[in-house]
Short mmCIF file of all heavy atoms in Angstrom, two decimals:
data_model
loop_
_atom_site.label_atom_id
_atom_site.label_comp_id
_atom_site.label_asym_id
_atom_site.label_seq_id
_atom_site.Cartn_x
_atom_site.Cartn_y
_atom_site.Cartn_z
N GLY A 118 4.01 4.97 11.41
CA GLY A 118 2.95 4.05 11.78
C GLY A 118 3.05 3.58 13.22
O GLY A 118 4.10 3.71 13.87
N SER A 119 1.95 3.02 13.71
CA SER A 119 1.92 2.46 15.06
C SER A 119 0.81 1.42 15.13
O SER A 119 -0.26 1.67 15.67
CB SER A 119 1.68 3.57 16.09
OG SER A 119 1.64 3.04 17.41
N VAL A 120 1.10 0.25 14.59
CA VAL A 120 0.08 -0.79 14.50
C VAL A 120 -0.35 -1.26 15.89
O VAL A 120 -1.49 -1.67 16.10
CB VAL A 120 0.59 -1.97 13.65
CG1 VAL A 120 1.79 -2.64 14.30
CG2 VAL A 120 -0.52 -2.98 13.41
N VAL A 121 0.57 -1.22 16.87
CA VAL A 121 0.22 -1.67 18.21
C VAL A 121 -0.51 -0.59 19.00
O VAL A 121 -0.89 -0.81 20.14
CB VAL A 121 1.48 -2.13 18.98
CG1 VAL A 121 2.10 -3.34 18.33
CG2 VAL A 121 2.50 -0.99 19.09
N GLY A 122 -0.70 0.58 18.40
CA GLY A 122 -1.38 1.66 19.09
C GLY A 122 -2.81 1.87 18.65
O GLY A 122 -3.46 2.81 19.12
N ILE A 123 -3.34 1.02 17.78
CA ILE A 123 -4.70 1.20 17.30
C ILE A 123 -5.69 0.58 18.29
O ILE A 123 -5.39 -0.42 18.94
CB ILE A 123 -4.89 0.57 15.90
CG1 ILE A 123 -4.57 -0.92 15.92
CG2 ILE A 123 -4.01 1.28 14.88
CD1 ILE A 123 -4.78 -1.61 14.61
N ASP A 124 -6.85 1.20 18.41
CA ASP A 124 -7.88 0.69 19.32
C ASP A 124 -8.96 -0.05 18.54
O ASP A 124 -8.86 -0.23 17.32
CB ASP A 124 -8.48 1.83 20.15
CG ASP A 124 -9.04 2.95 19.27
OD1 ASP A 124 -9.36 2.68 18.10
OD2 ASP A 124 -9.14 4.09 19.75
N LEU A 125 -10.01 -0.46 19.25
CA LEU A 125 -11.06 -1.26 18.63
C LEU A 125 -11.80 -0.48 17.55
O LEU A 125 -12.18 -1.05 16.51
CB LEU A 125 -12.05 -1.74 19.69
CG LEU A 125 -13.12 -2.74 19.23
CD1 LEU A 125 -12.47 -4.00 18.65
CD2 LEU A 125 -14.04 -3.10 20.39
N GLN A 126 -12.00 0.81 17.76
CA GLN A 126 -12.66 1.63 16.74
C GLN A 126 -11.83 1.68 15.46
O GLN A 126 -12.37 1.58 14.35
CB GLN A 126 -12.89 3.04 17.27
CG GLN A 126 -13.58 3.96 16.26
CD GLN A 126 -13.76 5.37 16.79
OE1 GLN A 126 -13.48 5.66 17.95
NE2 GLN A 126 -14.22 6.27 15.93
N ASP A 127 -10.51 1.81 15.59
CA ASP A 127 -9.63 1.81 14.42
C ASP A 127 -9.71 0.47 13.69
O ASP A 127 -9.67 0.42 12.46
CB ASP A 127 -8.19 2.09 14.85
CG ASP A 127 -8.01 3.47 15.44
OD1 ASP A 127 -8.72 4.39 15.00
OD2 ASP A 127 -7.17 3.62 16.35
N VAL A 128 -9.79 -0.60 14.47
CA VAL A 128 -9.87 -1.93 13.86
C VAL A 128 -11.11 -2.06 12.99
O VAL A 128 -11.06 -2.56 11.86
CB VAL A 128 -9.86 -3.03 14.95
CG1 VAL A 128 -10.15 -4.40 14.33
CG2 VAL A 128 -8.52 -3.06 15.66
N TRP A 129 -12.26 -1.60 13.50
CA TRP A 129 -13.49 -1.68 12.72
C TRP A 129 -13.41 -0.82 11.47
O TRP A 129 -13.91 -1.20 10.40
CB TRP A 129 -14.68 -1.27 13.58
CG TRP A 129 -15.17 -2.39 14.45
CD1 TRP A 129 -15.11 -2.47 15.81
CD2 TRP A 129 -15.77 -3.60 14.02
NE1 TRP A 129 -15.63 -3.65 16.25
CE2 TRP A 129 -16.06 -4.37 15.17
CE3 TRP A 129 -16.11 -4.13 12.77
CZ2 TRP A 129 -16.65 -5.63 15.11
CZ3 TRP A 129 -16.70 -5.39 12.70
CH2 TRP A 129 -16.97 -6.12 13.86
N GLN A 130 -12.79 0.37 11.57
CA GLN A 130 -12.61 1.20 10.38
C GLN A 130 -11.75 0.49 9.35
O GLN A 130 -12.07 0.49 8.14
CB GLN A 130 -11.96 2.53 10.78
CG GLN A 130 -12.86 3.44 11.59
CD GLN A 130 -12.13 4.70 12.04
OE1 GLN A 130 -10.89 4.76 12.01
NE2 GLN A 130 -12.88 5.70 12.46
N ILE A 131 -10.68 -0.14 9.80
CA ILE A 131 -9.79 -0.86 8.89
C ILE A 131 -10.50 -2.04 8.26
O ILE A 131 -10.36 -2.32 7.06
CB ILE A 131 -8.53 -1.32 9.66
CG1 ILE A 131 -7.66 -0.10 10.01
CG2 ILE A 131 -7.72 -2.32 8.84
CD1 ILE A 131 -6.51 -0.42 10.95
N ILE A 132 -11.30 -2.77 9.05
CA ILE A 132 -12.04 -3.92 8.52
C ILE A 132 -12.99 -3.48 7.41
O ILE A 132 -13.03 -4.07 6.32
CB ILE A 132 -12.82 -4.63 9.65
CG1 ILE A 132 -11.86 -5.34 10.59
CG2 ILE A 132 -13.83 -5.62 9.06
CD1 ILE A 132 -12.53 -5.94 11.82
N ILE A 133 -13.75 -2.42 7.67
CA ILE A 133 -14.74 -1.96 6.69
C ILE A 133 -14.07 -1.50 5.41
O ILE A 133 -14.46 -1.89 4.29
CB ILE A 133 -15.59 -0.82 7.30
CG1 ILE A 133 -16.45 -1.37 8.44
CG2 ILE A 133 -16.47 -0.17 6.23
CD1 ILE A 133 -17.16 -0.30 9.24
N LEU A 134 -13.03 -0.67 5.52
CA LEU A 134 -12.37 -0.12 4.33
C LEU A 134 -11.60 -1.19 3.57
O LEU A 134 -11.59 -1.21 2.33
CB LEU A 134 -11.44 1.03 4.73
CG LEU A 134 -12.15 2.29 5.25
CD1 LEU A 134 -11.13 3.32 5.74
CD2 LEU A 134 -13.02 2.90 4.15
N SER A 135 -10.95 -2.10 4.28
CA SER A 135 -10.20 -3.17 3.61
C SER A 135 -11.13 -4.10 2.85
O SER A 135 -10.84 -4.48 1.70
CB SER A 135 -9.39 -3.98 4.64
OG SER A 135 -8.45 -3.17 5.30
N ILE A 136 -12.25 -4.48 3.47
CA ILE A 136 -13.22 -5.34 2.78
C ILE A 136 -13.81 -4.63 1.57
O ILE A 136 -14.03 -5.24 0.51
CB ILE A 136 -14.32 -5.78 3.76
CG1 ILE A 136 -13.73 -6.74 4.80
CG2 ILE A 136 -15.48 -6.45 3.02
CD1 ILE A 136 -14.73 -7.18 5.86
N PHE A 137 -14.04 -3.31 1.70
CA PHE A 137 -14.55 -2.54 0.57
C PHE A 137 -13.58 -2.59 -0.62
O PHE A 137 -13.98 -2.84 -1.76
CB PHE A 137 -14.78 -1.10 0.99
CG PHE A 137 -15.01 -0.15 -0.17
CD1 PHE A 137 -16.22 -0.13 -0.84
CD2 PHE A 137 -14.00 0.69 -0.61
CE1 PHE A 137 -16.43 0.72 -1.91
CE2 PHE A 137 -14.19 1.55 -1.68
CZ PHE A 137 -15.42 1.56 -2.34
N VAL A 138 -12.30 -2.39 -0.35
CA VAL A 138 -11.30 -2.42 -1.42
C VAL A 138 -11.21 -3.82 -2.04
O VAL A 138 -11.16 -3.97 -3.27
CB VAL A 138 -9.92 -1.98 -0.89
CG1 VAL A 138 -8.83 -2.19 -1.95
CG2 VAL A 138 -9.95 -0.52 -0.47
N LEU A 139 -11.21 -4.85 -1.20
CA LEU A 139 -11.11 -6.22 -1.71
C LEU A 139 -12.33 -6.60 -2.55
O LEU A 139 -12.20 -7.25 -3.59
CB LEU A 139 -10.94 -7.19 -0.54
CG LEU A 139 -9.58 -7.13 0.17
CD1 LEU A 139 -9.61 -7.98 1.44
CD2 LEU A 139 -8.46 -7.60 -0.76
N LEU A 140 -13.52 -6.20 -2.10
CA LEU A 140 -14.72 -6.48 -2.87
C LEU A 140 -14.70 -5.75 -4.22
O LEU A 140 -15.09 -6.31 -5.25
CB LEU A 140 -15.97 -6.09 -2.08
CG LEU A 140 -16.34 -7.01 -0.91
CD1 LEU A 140 -17.55 -6.45 -0.15
CD2 LEU A 140 -16.65 -8.42 -1.40
N ALA A 141 -14.25 -4.50 -4.20
CA ALA A 141 -14.17 -3.73 -5.44
C ALA A 141 -13.18 -4.38 -6.41
O ALA A 141 -13.42 -4.45 -7.62
CB ALA A 141 -13.76 -2.29 -5.13
N LEU A 142 -12.06 -4.88 -5.89
CA LEU A 142 -11.09 -5.56 -6.74
C LEU A 142 -11.67 -6.86 -7.31
O LEU A 142 -11.44 -7.19 -8.47
CB LEU A 142 -9.82 -5.88 -5.93
CG LEU A 142 -8.92 -4.70 -5.57
CD1 LEU A 142 -7.77 -5.17 -4.68
CD2 LEU A 142 -8.36 -4.03 -6.83
N ALA A 143 -12.43 -7.58 -6.48
CA ALA A 143 -13.02 -8.83 -6.94
C ALA A 143 -14.06 -8.59 -8.04
O ALA A 143 -14.10 -9.32 -9.04
CB ALA A 143 -13.66 -9.58 -5.77
#
Side-chain angles (χ1 to χ4, degrees):
S119 180
V120 64
V121 295
I123 59 178
D124 56 23
L125 188 58
Q126 180 182 353
D127 296 327
V128 172
W129 279 112
Q130 291 176 344
I131 290 171
I132 290 174
I133 293 171
L134 292 174
S135 299
I136 291 177
F137 167 76
V138 172
L139 289 171
L140 287 176
L142 288 175

